Amino acid sequence: MSDMSKRTEELALAEEQELGSGAIAGMVRAMLESVGENPQRDGLRHTPERFERAFRYLTGGYQQDPEKILNGAVFDVCYDEMVVVKDIELYSLCEHHLLPFFGKCHVAYLPDKKVVGLSKIPRLVNMFSRRLQIQERLTNQIAQAIQNCVNPLGVGVVIEARHLCMVMRGVEKQNSETITSAMLGAFRDNQQTRDEFLALIGRGNR
Ligand SMILES: [Zn+2]
């Protein structure tokens, strides 16, 4: 490594250390030792701080509030067709193993004179994903937050995801996907609405 890139890395590291308290890094050092590693060797020397920084970022959703994300961006309209935002990339951590699960999230709602800025929906998905989750709860929280803030006639959320705690440990076939859905209001009561949503995300009548 050149002196220059070494310095850049050290600078980046100094920033990381400022952000984290170091409490997690200390535990990671102990964890590395307990599996027989040497946390002082070159490749691992800065790993505890990097892990802490990454982990704090991946759980940054606890610091955010769904109402703050959505409330400033709810607009009055006379549009009453379904709004669908599909294929939102999703990365979260399973609360049982602290391992990633990731996939796609599809969100739809049926406006009742109000819509929310489209970019807010992926932000909402990110916010709830950056907490320790189980997929079922994540799905429900996204649906419920939209229901509460936008007050539409109904909300549908579908998540398709792969869990590393399953595929890496060989619990399930490599390609198995977990699909969860939350249907509120018209999406629960009206089959036509639900079918329209599922057809739009490519999950209709299989
Ligand atoms: Zn798990």
Side-chain angles (χ1 to χ4, degrees):
M1 193 190 291
S2 73
D3 275 2
M4 182 68 114
S5 64
K6 207 166 205 169
R7 221 172 299 136
T8 314
E9 193 179 305
E10 274 163 11
L11 264 178
L13 195 72
E15 270 171 44
E16 286 174 19
Q17 280 164 339
E18 266 175 23
L19 279 170
S21 69
I24 296 174
M27 289 183 270
V28 171
R29 223 162 253 122
M31 197 170 92
L32 290 171
E33 271 166 9
S34 81
V35 296
E37 263 294 358
N38 169 16
Q40 302 311 323
R41 73 175 170 85
D42 254 9
L44 289 179
R45 206 145 40 97
H46 301 311
T47 297
E49 284 75 24
R50 281 196 204 94
F51 178 88
E52 172 155 2
R53 170 88 195 274
F55 191 71
R56 287 188 188 279
Y57 175 79
L58 296 175
T59 54
Y62 291 111
Q63 264 47 265
Q64 293 176 292
D65 176 357
E67 298 201 353
K68 280 205 185 114
I69 289 179
L70 294 181
N71 274 354
V74 178
F75 308 105
D76 294 328
V77 283
C78 36
Y79 180 83
D80 60 1
E81 297 296 324
M82 187 181 296
V83 176
V84 182
V85 183
K86 65 173 192 169
D87 295 331
I88 302 167
E89 276 183 63
L90 172 142
Y91 300 91
S92 189
L93 288 174
C94 106
E95 69 183 14
H96 299 139
H97 303 92
L98 303 187
L99 287 172
F101 65 96
F102 57 95
K104 282 180 172 163
C105 178
H106 314 288
V107 175
Y109 65 97
L110 204 53
D112 182 17
K113 302 184 197 76
K114 281 181 196 304
V115 294
V116 64
L118 288 179
S119 68
K120 302 299 176 184
I121 291 179
R123 283 191 58 197
L124 187 75
V125 171
N126 279 345
M127 189 208 79
F128 284 119
S129 300
R130 288 186 191 141
R131 297 178 179 187
L132 302 183
Q133 285 288 8
I134 60 170
Q135 188 178 326
E136 295 86 338
R137 186 176 62 225
L138 175 59
T139 313
N140 279 322
Q141 285 178 335
I142 295 165
Q144 207 62 58
I146 294 171
Q147 185 64 48
N148 294 346
C149 294
V150 188
N151 204 20
L153 298 173
V155 184
V157 176
V158 170
I159 294 177
E160 322 168 54
R162 290 199 178 129
H163 292 244
L164 289 190
C165 59
M166 289 163 78
V167 296
M168 282 181 84
R169 298 187 309 153
V171 180
E172 292 287 328
K173 298 265 182 264
Q174 294 284 318
N175 290 321
S176 79
E177 230 175 29
T178 305
I179 300 171
T180 48
S181 69
M183 303 286 175
L184 304 178
F187 286 74
R188 174 175 288 267
D189 304 333
N190 185 332
Q191 191 175 353
Q192 204 182 325
T193 303
R194 189 167 58 239
D195 287 350
E196 186 185 339
F197 171 45
L198 295 175
L200 284 168
I201 64 169
R203 295 223 151 256
N205 293 326
R206 289 216 189 152

